Amino acid sequence: MAALAGAATAQSFPEAKAKFDAGDFAGAAALFESVAATGGAAKAEAAAFVLRSWSKAGRHDKVLAQFDTCLAGARGTEFEAECAFERAKSTDLNAKDTTLALQQYAEILAKYPNNVFAASGALLQRGNIELNSLNAPEVALDTFEEALTRYPTSPFADDALLAEAQAGVRLARLDMIDSVRRRLEAMGADPAMLQKVQFERAEYFNRASRDR
């Protein structure tokens, strides 16, 4: 029976990941839940992907509701940090509790500083709160740059650079926006990300013309 359960897990995890990669996040979450419940070698990673899938689907209420169960499944592995990150992000985006979210991000940075995904993501999201909720673009800029400096291989590196361009708009710093574009080009960033920087550049000029 244990061998059969392990085989089922091995088969369903790739299927769940395929749904996730195809953008069927709700479908992926259901399959990842099944994998996490079955156990086996993929249990911890599946638990983290349950929360990540619901987050991608915009169901932050689901992330918060299932956090304790998923954390238990990932406890003692690298995926524990990823569960904590998804919970903190949903605390901000669903519960709109920026104070608690900032506290949770700080806890992630203190407890999991070597987990690139969770720690760099925590810095990115903290910076977004500083930029958009606290209206502190200079503080946010320092946070985004810290994420890029401490975690150069972060999967959120391009997002942190785009956020720097957004801070550049708030600070009326065209040089900063253009620097972001050059850095993204050097990274081989997706053309869609470069287009987003161009939108920020256009927003800079729109604001400058209104302020004349």
Side-chain angles (χ1 to χ4, degrees):
M1 291 294 290
L4 289 175
T9 298
Q11 291 173 353
S12 50
F13 186 91
E15 183 182 353
K17 188 63 167 57
K19 283 185 176 291
F20 182 90
D21 292 339
D24 181 5
F25 301 120
L31 283 177
F32 282 128
E33 286 172 11
S34 177
V35 175
T38 303
K43 175 182 178 180
E45 187 173 7
F49 263 104
V50 169
L51 300 185
R52 197 184 304 182
S53 298
W54 284 127
S55 178
K56 287 281 192 179
R59 292 299 306 275
H60 298 288
D61 57 321
K62 290 275 194 180
V63 175
L64 296 176
Q66 297 187 27
F67 170 70
D68 288 336
T69 299
C70 291
L71 182 65
R75 185 79 70 185
T77 73
E78 64 184 291
F79 302 107
E80 177 182 335
E82 298 184 16
C83 288
F85 169 65
E86 296 299 345
R87 187 269 301 266
K89 188 166 63 171
S90 292
T91 296
D92 176 25
L93 299 177
N94 183 71
K96 306 299 182 183
D97 190 339
T98 56
T99 300
L100 180 57
L102 287 171
Q103 178 183 326
Q104 291 171 347
Y105 290 134
E107 291 171 354
I108 290 169
L109 290 165
K111 190 173 182 179
Y112 313 106
N114 296 322
N115 187 296
V116 174
F117 181 91
S120 64
L123 283 170
L124 171 65
Q125 296 302 326
R126 189 184 85 188
N128 283 333
I129 291 174
E130 292 164 346
L131 179 63
N132 300 310
S133 298
L134 304 182
N135 194 27
E138 292 183 349
V139 176
L141 181 62
D142 288 341
T143 300
F144 298 137
E145 197 59 35
E146 181 183 354
L148 291 162
T149 301
R150 289 178 59 182
Y151 304 102
T153 61
S154 167
F156 304 111
D158 53 352
D159 295 299
L161 281 169
L162 177 61
E164 286 196 5
Q166 293 166 346
V169 172
R170 305 280 184 89
L171 295 169
R173 291 278 306 278
L174 181 60
D175 62 311
M176 185 182 300
I177 300 168
D178 288 342
S179 173
V180 165
R181 180 175 179 84
R182 290 191 296 270
R183 292 168 72 181
L184 284 169
E185 288 174 339
M187 289 168 52
D190 188 277
M193 185 62 70
L194 296 174
Q195 187 62 46
K196 289 178 181 179
V197 176
Q198 284 299 101
F199 289 150
E200 297 303 330
R201 200 173 194 274
E203 178 60 18
Y204 164 85
F205 284 109
N206 286 336
R207 291 191 179 205
S209 64
R210 290 198 302 266
D211 293 340
R212 288 174 184 167

